[in-house]
Every structure is written in C-alpha cells, then in structure tokens.
Amino acid sequence: MTGGARVAVVTGGANGIGLACVRRLSDDGFTVVVADTDAEAGVRVTAEIPRAEFVACDVRVRQDIDRVAGTALEIGRGRLHALVNNAGQTARVRFADSDETTWRRLDVVNLHSVFSFTHACLAGLTAGRGSVVSVASVAGLVGAEDLSAYSSTKAGIIALTRSLALEHGEVIRFDAVCPGQIATRMMARVQTDDDLRTAVAAQIPAGRLGRPEEVADVVAWLLSDGAGYVNGVAIAVDGGESAGFRRLKPGVALHDHTPAR
Ligand SMILES: NC(=O)C1=CN([C@@H]2O[C@H](COP(=O)(O)OP(=O)(O)OC[C@H]3O[C@@H](n4cnc5c(N)ncnc54)[C@H](O)[C@@H]3O)[C@@H](O)[C@H]2O)C=CC1
Ligand SMILES: O=Cc1ccc(S(=O)(=O)O)cc1
C-alpha cells in the first residue's frame, strides 16, 4: 500500500467478537470505523482504542450505512482496505413457533446488511484493493436445532461470500469466518449457568467455549497480505465442534464395536 491510512470498517464493533476485531485491527495499524447501535459502548471504544472512530449506525438503515461508508472513505481519501460484516442477532425458537417478525428481523440484520454494507463500500474497496470478512456461524455450515431462521441467514452469508469472491476475485477478496460457541453476551446463559456450560463444553473437542479474540485473530489474518491467495472460503473457528460426531460420554463409544472376522 502506498501512503495514507489503512482504513477498516467493523459493523457491530462495540461489543463481543466485533470489539475484539476492532482492538486487533487497531493493533495492526488500521484506522477503524466502528458501526453499531450501542452508542454507550461505542463512546468507550473511541476513548479506549487508538485510531477507532464510532459512528452510530443501525445496519438495517441505508442512510446510516452510507454515513459510515462516507466517514471511512473520507479518512481513506477514497480508499477502503477492510470491511468486517459482523453485526448480528439471534432468536432461539422452534421452527413451528417462529413467526414472520423473527424471520424478517434476522434476515434484515444478519444477511441483508451484508449486501447493503458491501454494496455501499464496493467502490472504496475496489480503489483500496481491500478485503471483506463476514462473520457467519457454524450454524450456517450445518443446521442448528431451534435456530432455523438464524442458521438460514448464516448459510446465506456464506453463499453470498462465495458468489462475491467469484465476481470480484481479481481485486477484492471475500471470506467468511464461522464461529462456534464464543463467550460473548450472545452466549450469556451458557456463561452463567455452570451445568449448561459443562454440557456445551463436552460437545466441543477443545473442551471450552471460544474467546472473541480467537475469532479476531482469524479475521485479522484473512484481512492481511498473508492471506493474499485465500478467497471465497468459510473457516470454522469452533474448537473442532463441527468436525464430526463425538462420543456421548468419556469412554462410551457412539456405536458397539463388532470386530471384523
Ligand atoms: N457468540 C457466538 O457464539 C457466535 C456469534 N456469531 C456471530 O458473531 C457476530 C457477533 O456476535 P457476538 O459478538 O457474539 O454478539 P454481541 O451481541 O456480543 O455483539 C453484537 C454487536 O452487534 C451490534 N448490533 C446488533 N444489531 C445491530 C444493528 N441492527 N445495527 C448495528 N449493530 C447491531 C450490537 O449492538 C453488538 O455491539 C454475530 O453476527 C453473531 O451471529 C456466530 C457464531 C457464534
Ligand atoms: O452461531 C452460533 C450460535 C448463536 C446463537 C446461539 S443462541 O441463540 O444463544 O442459542 C447459539 C449458537
């Protein structure tokens, strides 16, 4: 890169995984524009993290998105180097009990926002030969019981990522990360309920929930020159949870083993 600041935009960057990405990208020398609805946390981010600038933004609102893109392009003098589409919400509900409102909310916040933000930033990313990482989920790689609306939006993010990699691969790289169970407020119940946490940890080969910083490390790598030939991938960051079936209990196999004769 020649001259000027390297500029990144992180949506949902005021808390959780997004906040860890903002910290990490700031450490890597980026000026980071943080787009989030949480103004209280956003003000803290600006005060505490060098080169971080908060812009109040609801990712459902196109005018808000254009304001964020405008701020980033002003800082980067027309060039944008990184976009992290991270803002997301969840809804835990049986499919039979789910309703239009829930499906529309998750569709607009989780998936449509990736279209809107990427579209608003496309010219700047082209000028800056930038890269985009979108935060999907392992729930978008496999299914997830009681999370049908959520997992559908995350599968959509992965398909959109791959399609954009095909359309723009000579200039912009598009990748996705697929976190497993990460200790943020989205996972508040798992963190406060000891029995639940033990049960969840038993499903994960790593034996524990992930940390937001462990997702941010992979996001930062995907945005770096070290990943310059990586495009259109969806990387699970899940302690091995999506690798396959586990034993039900330590020492108890999933099936009886009948030795071959
Ligand atoms: N925590 C986990 O275990 C996992 C999280 N993810 C994904 O990671 C991303 C980040 O999640 P977490 O950090 O866990 O959640 P979080 O709830 O800690 O943080 C989400 C951030 O997004 C912001 N946000 C929500 N709706 C917004 C909107 N309409 N406009 C602007 N900002 C908005 C919130 O204010 C918050 O700052 C989400 O896309 C989530 O689906 C994926 C897999 C697992
Ligand atoms: O992406 C993984 C994920 C996200 C949310 C939830 S829940 O809504 O807290 O159950 C579970 C897994």
Side-chain angles (χ1 to χ4, degrees), residues 11-18 35-38 41 57-60 85-90 109-110 135-139 150 154 157 178-187:
T11 73
N15 297 284
I17 293 169
D36 204 297
T37 43
D38 187 345
C57 166
D58 187 327
V59 298
R60 292 169 296 190
N85 289 307
N86 162 78
Q89 296 179 9
T90 184
V109 174
N110 293 1
V135 181
S137 166
V138 285
Y150 177 82
K154 296 301 187 178
I157 289 173
C178 299
Q181 316 224 29
I182 310 298
T184 68
R185 65 184 191 176
M186 194 178 265
M187 287 289 156

Side-chain angles (χ1 to χ4, degrees), residues 40-54:
E40 213 179 301
V43 167
R44 276 199 302 274
V45 167
T46 302
E48 288 168 15
I49 303 179
R51 294 177 300 283
E53 182 160 335
F54 175 70

Side-chain angles (χ1 to χ4, degrees), residues 98-116:
S98 65
D99 57 20
E100 286 282 347
T101 310
T102 300
W103 277 80
R104 283 191 200 286
R105 173 172 64 85
L106 295 193
D107 179 34
V108 175
V109 174
N110 293 1
L111 177 57
H112 195 94
S113 69
V114 178
F115 151 71
S116 309

